[in-house]
Amino acid sequence: MGKENAILSLFKEHKVDYIYNSKEQIILFPCFECFDEVEMCTNTTNWKCSKCYNNGNLLSHIRYFNNGHILKTRIYNPKREKKKINLMIQNLIKQSPEMKEKLNNIELKFNELLQYFEKKTS
């Protein structure tokens, strides 16, 4: 078990957008400098941005926030986006009941497509 509780607690306290993957023992979050997606190991807390080469660990996060910085940017979260799209489809169904069958088919196909890619990438 890594230091994920300390990291996640710090991120929640400072409202940092992140994705926690317990199986791979990583946390994805936006880089402090370029806001690109960065991967942190929960065992070592080490991370390095592949875009701007900024790097650090849990202590660099603590220093960053103690210096009054705020990290307001978001990273792309596929689960959150899927939920938003499905909600948009449901809202369209409510607005246009005559399109219910077609919109339900779109939603079904969309979710099947995502399941296919989830299986391919896992």
Side-chain angles (χ1 to χ4, degrees), residues 1 17 20 23 28 37 56 59 62 65 69 81 87 90 98 101 111 115 119:
M1 178 140 181
D17 193 33
Y20 173 49
K23 187 168 39 172
L28 303 174
E37 186 175 281
L59 286 177
I62 293 169
F65 295 123
H69 293 99
E81 295 304 316
L87 185 61
Q90 291 305 312
E98 68 279 0
E101 186 176 337
N111 289 320
Q115 287 175 352
K119 287 178 188 173

Short mmCIF file of all heavy atoms in Angstrom, two decimals, residues 1 17 20 23 28 37 56 59 62 65 69 81 87 90 98 101 111 115 119:
data_model
loop_
_atom_site.label_atom_id
_atom_site.label_comp_id
_atom_site.label_asym_id
_atom_site.label_seq_id
_atom_site.Cartn_x
_atom_site.Cartn_y
_atom_site.Cartn_z
N MET A 1 0.84 -1.18 0.00
CA MET A 1 0.00 0.00 0.00
C MET A 1 0.88 1.24 0.00
O MET A 1 1.85 1.34 0.72
CB MET A 1 -0.92 -0.02 1.21
CG MET A 1 -1.79 1.17 1.32
SD MET A 1 -3.40 0.64 1.87
CE MET A 1 -4.24 2.16 1.89
N ASP A 17 -8.17 18.48 -9.42
CA ASP A 17 -8.84 17.48 -10.22
C ASP A 17 -7.87 16.30 -10.42
O ASP A 17 -6.71 16.50 -10.76
CB ASP A 17 -9.23 18.08 -11.58
CG ASP A 17 -10.20 17.22 -12.34
OD1 ASP A 17 -11.04 16.54 -11.71
OD2 ASP A 17 -10.12 17.21 -13.58
N TYR A 20 -7.89 8.56 -9.70
CA TYR A 20 -7.14 7.58 -8.91
C TYR A 20 -7.37 6.20 -9.50
O TYR A 20 -8.50 5.77 -9.66
CB TYR A 20 -7.57 7.65 -7.45
CG TYR A 20 -6.99 6.56 -6.57
CD1 TYR A 20 -5.63 6.29 -6.60
CD2 TYR A 20 -7.79 5.83 -5.72
CE1 TYR A 20 -5.09 5.30 -5.79
CE2 TYR A 20 -7.26 4.85 -4.91
CZ TYR A 20 -5.91 4.58 -4.94
OH TYR A 20 -5.37 3.62 -4.14
N LYS A 23 -5.72 -0.01 -9.03
CA LYS A 23 -5.13 -1.23 -9.58
C LYS A 23 -3.70 -0.99 -10.07
O LYS A 23 -2.81 -1.78 -9.83
CB LYS A 23 -6.01 -1.76 -10.73
CG LYS A 23 -5.56 -3.10 -11.24
CD LYS A 23 -6.51 -3.84 -12.16
CE LYS A 23 -7.25 -3.02 -13.15
NZ LYS A 23 -8.00 -3.84 -14.13
N LEU A 28 -3.58 10.40 -11.57
CA LEU A 28 -3.40 11.35 -12.66
C LEU A 28 -3.89 12.71 -12.18
O LEU A 28 -4.94 12.80 -11.54
CB LEU A 28 -4.20 10.91 -13.89
CG LEU A 28 -3.89 9.52 -14.43
CD1 LEU A 28 -4.87 9.17 -15.54
CD2 LEU A 28 -2.47 9.43 -14.91
N GLU A 37 -1.59 16.32 -18.41
CA GLU A 37 -1.86 15.23 -17.48
C GLU A 37 -0.54 14.59 -17.02
O GLU A 37 0.33 14.28 -17.82
CB GLU A 37 -2.73 14.19 -18.18
CG GLU A 37 -3.20 13.08 -17.27
CD GLU A 37 -4.15 12.15 -18.00
OE1 GLU A 37 -5.33 12.50 -18.14
OE2 GLU A 37 -3.68 11.09 -18.44
N GLY A 56 8.51 16.13 -9.37
CA GLY A 56 8.47 16.29 -7.93
C GLY A 56 7.90 15.08 -7.24
O GLY A 56 7.89 13.98 -7.77
N LEU A 59 6.02 16.08 -1.36
CA LEU A 59 6.54 17.29 -0.70
C LEU A 59 6.47 18.51 -1.61
O LEU A 59 6.18 19.62 -1.14
CB LEU A 59 7.97 17.07 -0.23
CG LEU A 59 8.13 16.19 1.01
CD1 LEU A 59 9.60 15.98 1.34
CD2 LEU A 59 7.40 16.80 2.19
N ILE A 62 2.98 19.80 -1.41
CA ILE A 62 2.73 20.50 -0.14
C ILE A 62 3.34 21.91 -0.19
O ILE A 62 2.68 22.88 0.17
CB ILE A 62 3.29 19.68 1.04
CG1 ILE A 62 2.47 18.39 1.20
CG2 ILE A 62 3.27 20.50 2.33
CD1 ILE A 62 3.06 17.38 2.15
N PHE A 65 1.25 24.26 -2.50
CA PHE A 65 0.02 24.76 -1.88
C PHE A 65 0.31 25.65 -0.69
O PHE A 65 -0.41 26.62 -0.45
CB PHE A 65 -0.90 23.60 -1.49
CG PHE A 65 -1.41 22.83 -2.67
CD1 PHE A 65 -1.19 21.47 -2.79
CD2 PHE A 65 -2.09 23.47 -3.71
CE1 PHE A 65 -1.66 20.77 -3.88
CE2 PHE A 65 -2.56 22.77 -4.80
CZ PHE A 65 -2.34 21.41 -4.89
N HIS A 69 -0.45 28.79 -3.86
CA HIS A 69 -0.88 28.49 -5.22
C HIS A 69 -2.19 27.71 -5.23
O HIS A 69 -2.47 26.96 -4.30
CB HIS A 69 0.20 27.68 -5.96
CG HIS A 69 1.44 28.45 -6.20
ND1 HIS A 69 2.55 28.33 -5.40
CD2 HIS A 69 1.76 29.35 -7.15
CE1 HIS A 69 3.50 29.11 -5.84
NE2 HIS A 69 3.05 29.76 -6.90
N GLU A 81 -17.09 12.40 -18.41
CA GLU A 81 -17.60 12.80 -19.72
C GLU A 81 -18.71 11.86 -20.18
O GLU A 81 -19.71 12.31 -20.74
CB GLU A 81 -16.47 12.86 -20.75
CG GLU A 81 -15.44 13.93 -20.45
CD GLU A 81 -16.03 15.32 -20.32
OE1 GLU A 81 -16.89 15.70 -21.15
OE2 GLU A 81 -15.63 16.04 -19.39
N LEU A 87 -26.37 12.04 -19.66
CA LEU A 87 -27.33 12.99 -19.08
C LEU A 87 -27.89 13.91 -20.16
O LEU A 87 -29.09 14.21 -20.18
CB LEU A 87 -26.67 13.80 -17.97
CG LEU A 87 -27.57 14.76 -17.20
CD1 LEU A 87 -28.69 14.00 -16.49
CD2 LEU A 87 -26.76 15.54 -16.18
N GLN A 90 -30.48 12.00 -22.07
CA GLN A 90 -31.72 11.88 -21.30
C GLN A 90 -32.49 13.20 -21.29
O GLN A 90 -33.73 13.20 -21.36
CB GLN A 90 -31.42 11.40 -19.87
CG GLN A 90 -30.94 9.97 -19.78
CD GLN A 90 -31.90 9.01 -20.45
OE1 GLN A 90 -33.11 9.04 -20.23
NE2 GLN A 90 -31.35 8.13 -21.29
N GLU A 98 -40.83 12.40 -28.92
CA GLU A 98 -40.98 11.72 -30.21
C GLU A 98 -39.64 11.15 -30.71
O GLU A 98 -39.62 10.27 -31.57
CB GLU A 98 -41.59 12.65 -31.27
CG GLU A 98 -40.72 13.80 -31.72
CD GLU A 98 -40.71 15.01 -30.79
OE1 GLU A 98 -41.40 15.00 -29.75
OE2 GLU A 98 -39.99 15.97 -31.11
N GLU A 101 -36.95 6.87 -29.02
CA GLU A 101 -36.39 5.62 -29.53
C GLU A 101 -35.04 5.84 -30.22
O GLU A 101 -34.08 5.11 -29.97
CB GLU A 101 -37.37 4.95 -30.50
CG GLU A 101 -36.92 3.58 -30.94
CD GLU A 101 -37.94 2.89 -31.83
OE1 GLU A 101 -39.14 3.23 -31.78
OE2 GLU A 101 -37.50 2.01 -32.59
N ASN A 111 -22.61 3.73 -25.57
CA ASN A 111 -22.12 2.95 -24.43
C ASN A 111 -21.46 1.65 -24.86
O ASN A 111 -20.48 1.22 -24.27
CB ASN A 111 -23.25 2.72 -23.42
CG ASN A 111 -23.62 3.98 -22.69
OD1 ASN A 111 -22.77 4.77 -22.31
ND2 ASN A 111 -24.91 4.20 -22.49
N GLN A 115 -17.58 0.60 -24.06
CA GLN A 115 -17.26 -0.69 -23.45
C GLN A 115 -16.23 -1.45 -24.28
O GLN A 115 -15.32 -2.07 -23.75
CB GLN A 115 -18.52 -1.54 -23.26
CG GLN A 115 -19.40 -1.06 -22.15
CD GLN A 115 -20.70 -1.86 -22.07
OE1 GLN A 115 -21.00 -2.67 -22.92
NE2 GLN A 115 -21.48 -1.58 -21.03
N LYS A 119 -12.43 -2.48 -22.91
CA LYS A 119 -11.90 -3.85 -22.93
C LYS A 119 -10.57 -3.89 -23.67
O LYS A 119 -9.64 -4.58 -23.28
CB LYS A 119 -12.89 -4.80 -23.60
CG LYS A 119 -14.09 -5.12 -22.76
CD LYS A 119 -15.06 -6.02 -23.49
CE LYS A 119 -16.35 -6.18 -22.73
NZ LYS A 119 -17.36 -6.92 -23.51
#
